[in-house]
Amino acid sequence: MRAVLHASLVVLIAIATVSAQAPPPKYPQVQVTAGRSTIVTTNFDVTRIAITNPAIADAVVVKPREVLVDGKAPGTITLMLWGGDQRMQYDIVVEQPISPLEQQLHQLFPNEEITVTMNADGIVLSGRASSTLVMLRIGEVVRAAQPKANVINMLQVPGGSDAQQVMLQVRIAEVNRKTLSELGTSLFTGPTGVGDWIGRGTSGQFPSVEFKDLERTQTPTSLDLKGKMDFSDFLNIFLFNTKWNAGTLVRALKQTGHFQSLAEPNLIAYNGKEASFLAGGEFPVPVVNGLGQVSILFKEFGVRLNFTPTIAGDLIRLKVRPEVSDLDFNNGITLEGFRIPALHTRRAETEVELRDGQSFAVAGLIDNSAQIDTAAIPMLSQIPIIGHLFSSKADRKERTELLVLITPRLVRALNPDEVPPLPTMPGRFLPSGDDLGGRLEGGGGTVDAPPVADAGRR
């Protein structure tokens, strides 16, 4: 008896296990779009119906063997039909209706597989596009139709990359050349003059001599003359004859300068995110508030790069803003005893489209400037030959060339076995015998170390 009960229990457990592992039965599926209707036909007369959620779909018996199903909202529900001794169950799938935006996209791009999903947070574009240009155009149309919506373009294109990070290689080259030529003279006498004359001749363009503390004392038997000469700048050539008590200052100067700068910043940014780079520094600027208190504000200068990449299939859209600035003390100001320099800035901002590894010159600047300043004493400067002694001239020329090249590259993170070794020096940091540990008793902690195979290598 016990054996029979045991066998029966095993059979029941086996049947229960098989029933639990059996897949759920599949019922006929009826698809309908929200806002539309369809007819479900049966092979028996329907006497009673039941539906799980009338908010998603509703059903009405229009004929003994026909049931009208109306889709209301996206979702899946169950429809039960009874008639006589028969029963039928259906899965009613209500799909999202095609939006006017999707219909418009299918009219503009008839050969593209486009699916538009709209919700409260934004619009998602999915499917496949024939080219990168078509994919970008579809995104632009959607953004124009829904300017306030957040558009996520997930359209796939042939040959597209799965990389979501962009490394931007930027080369900024600047060459500056300048030259300065100055020529002028200033004639003057000593403070006691020549005979009864004291004089000075200058065009005023360059500094000249100033007379101070002139005194003249005359008695019936003598004449005493005193005075001082003050020079703010001896210019280049200073000549003075003590016998004739006369002299001249000559400004004959030629200056040349050459400046070259090359910066190659590399920066990595995620798709659609902005990245910035600065190679330079900051200088303090005093700021006076309404109460007369002075606070310090720091301004940045140097080589700056801001860019935002957008990966569009096999193309990379870049919004680039390179900037090169340096301190300009010639155009600075003095505030509360502080010398504040100005900034000489070269900046460019543009958007370009490149493929992986392509280069583009986003900014090119050739700036030529020339300035000639002349000053002369009227009439005296027009005398032939010696008239040049009463005139001066300054000639300034400057040429600046700036070029910015950008090269975007799609990159991915390296696996641990792909990390390249860091550069190291081939020799030892300290030669053998010079370290302190070797002279300590006990070897400075080296007594437990393994023996060195070849001491000569050290």
Side-chain angles (χ1 to χ4, degrees):
M1 184 66 180
R2 291 182 179 179
V4 174
L5 292 176
H6 180 71
S8 302
L9 182 60
V10 171
V11 172
L12 291 176
I13 294 175
I15 294 174
T17 304
V18 172
S19 300
Q21 294 178 355
K26 294 184 178 180
Y27 301 104
Q29 191 178 86
V30 178
Q31 294 184 348
V32 62
T33 304
R36 296 188 178 183
S37 302
T38 187
I39 295 293
V40 177
T41 60
T42 63
N43 54 4
F44 58 90
D45 294 339
V46 178
T47 59
R48 185 162 59 97
I49 66 173
I51 200 164
T52 55
N53 190 352
I56 294 179
D58 198 3
V60 178
V61 179
V62 293
K63 288 185 178 181
R65 296 192 177 189
E66 290 185 359
V67 178
L68 176 64
V69 179
D70 297 326
K72 295 183 178 181
T76 302
I77 63 174
T78 300
L79 172 65
M80 304 290 293
L81 304 177
W82 289 272
D85 57 351
Q86 298 187 26
R87 184 187 65 183
M88 195 67 183
Q89 180 176 340
Y90 296 91
D91 289 337
I92 307 299
V93 180
V94 182
E95 298 178 346
Q96 179 76 27
I98 299 177
S99 63
L101 178 60
E102 185 173 349
Q103 295 178 2
Q104 182 181 6
L105 291 177
H106 285 301
Q107 292 177 359
L108 295 175
F109 307 95
N111 299 325
E112 310 298 333
E113 300 177 7
I114 308 172
T115 302
V116 180
T117 304
M118 304 179 64
N119 51 41
D121 297 329
I123 301 175
V124 179
L125 301 178
S126 58
R128 299 188 62 85
S130 58
S131 64
T132 302
L133 180 61
V134 173
M135 183 197 69
L136 296 176
R137 288 288 182 266
I138 294 174
E140 293 174 356
V141 171
V142 175
R143 292 185 182 91
Q146 303 289 338
K148 296 183 179 180
N150 182 22
V151 180
I152 302 176
N153 195 339
M154 299 182 62
L155 292 173
Q156 301 294 325
V157 296
S161 175
D162 295 334
Q164 293 296 316
Q165 297 182 99
V166 177
M167 181 179 70
L168 193 67
Q169 297 176 338
V170 182
R171 285 167 289 177
I172 303 175
E174 180 181 12
V175 178
N176 180 274
R177 303 181 183 91
K178 59 182 178 180
T179 179
L180 172 64
S181 300
E182 295 178 338
L183 180 61
T185 59
S186 176
L187 305 175
F188 61 92
T189 64
T192 57
V194 178
D196 293 334
W197 296 88
I198 297 178
R200 182 192 70 172
T202 176
S203 63
Q205 188 172 7
F206 305 120
S208 184
V209 64
E210 298 287 342
F211 297 112
K212 291 185 177 180
D213 302 332
L214 297 179
E215 297 182 3
R216 178 185 175 91
T217 305
Q218 186 176 5
T219 63
T221 59
S222 64
L223 178 63
D224 187 14
L225 300 176
K226 295 181 180 180
K228 297 180 181 179
M229 293 186 298
D230 186 10
F231 296 93
S232 60
D233 189 357
F234 281 99
L235 302 182
N236 301 98
I237 301 175
F238 170 75
L239 299 175
F240 187 82
N241 190 293
T242 56
K243 179 179 180 180
W244 294 96
N245 198 24
T248 180
L249 293 173
V250 180
R251 180 80 166 194
L253 179 66
K254 183 177 182 180
Q255 296 179 348
T256 59
H258 178 82
F259 172 79
Q260 181 175 355
S261 174
L262 176 63
E264 296 188 10
N266 296 336
L267 200 60
I268 297 179
Y270 190 74
N271 183 22
K273 301 296 182 179
E274 183 180 6
S276 61
F277 173 88
L278 174 64
E282 297 180 345
F283 65 96
V285 177
V287 179
V288 182
N289 57 19
L291 300 178
Q293 299 175 348
V294 180
S295 59
I296 302 299
L297 180 65
F298 287 87
K299 295 287 187 179
E300 297 176 344
F301 70 95
V303 179
R304 172 182 289 278
L305 172 65
N306 291 10
F307 81 99
T308 304
T310 302
I311 301 176
D314 57 345
L315 288 179
I316 304 175
R317 276 191 170 184
L318 292 175
K319 183 178 181 181
V320 190
R321 189 175 185 267
E323 178 180 317
V324 180
S325 60
D326 52 66
L327 302 180
D328 185 6
F329 288 93
N330 295 329
N331 296 321
I333 61 174
T334 303
L335 178 63
E336 299 292 336
F338 296 94
R339 181 65 176 175
I340 305 174
L343 282 178
H344 185 212
T345 305
R346 283 79 67 202
R347 181 187 301 117
E349 184 172 359
T350 183
E351 293 188 14
V352 296
E353 285 186 359
L354 297 174
R355 299 184 185 275
D356 183 16
Q358 290 183 335
S359 299
F360 200 88
V362 298
L365 171 65
I366 299 179
D367 184 12
N368 292 326
S369 61
Q371 180 180 355
I372 299 177
D373 299 327
T374 59
I377 300 176
M379 299 180 65
L380 295 179
S381 61
Q382 299 177 359
I383 299 176
I385 302 177
I386 65 173
H388 296 287
L389 298 176
F390 303 97
S391 63
S392 60
K393 178 181 179 181
D395 187 2
R396 298 177 178 86
K397 295 180 180 180
E398 184 173 357
R399 178 184 177 92
T400 302
E401 299 179 14
L402 176 66
L403 180 64
V404 180
L405 294 175
I406 64 171
T407 304
R409 297 186 182 276
L410 297 175
V411 295
R412 63 174 180 85
L414 295 177
N415 295 323
D417 56 344
E418 297 177 340
V419 178
L422 296 177
T424 57
M425 297 181 63
R428 290 174 56 89
F429 181 68
L430 291 176
S432 175
D434 292 346
D435 53 333
L436 182 62
R439 297 193 295 270
L440 294 177
E441 183 178 357
T446 62
V447 292
D448 296 331
V452 179
D454 188 1
R457 294 181 181 177
R458 302 175 60 185

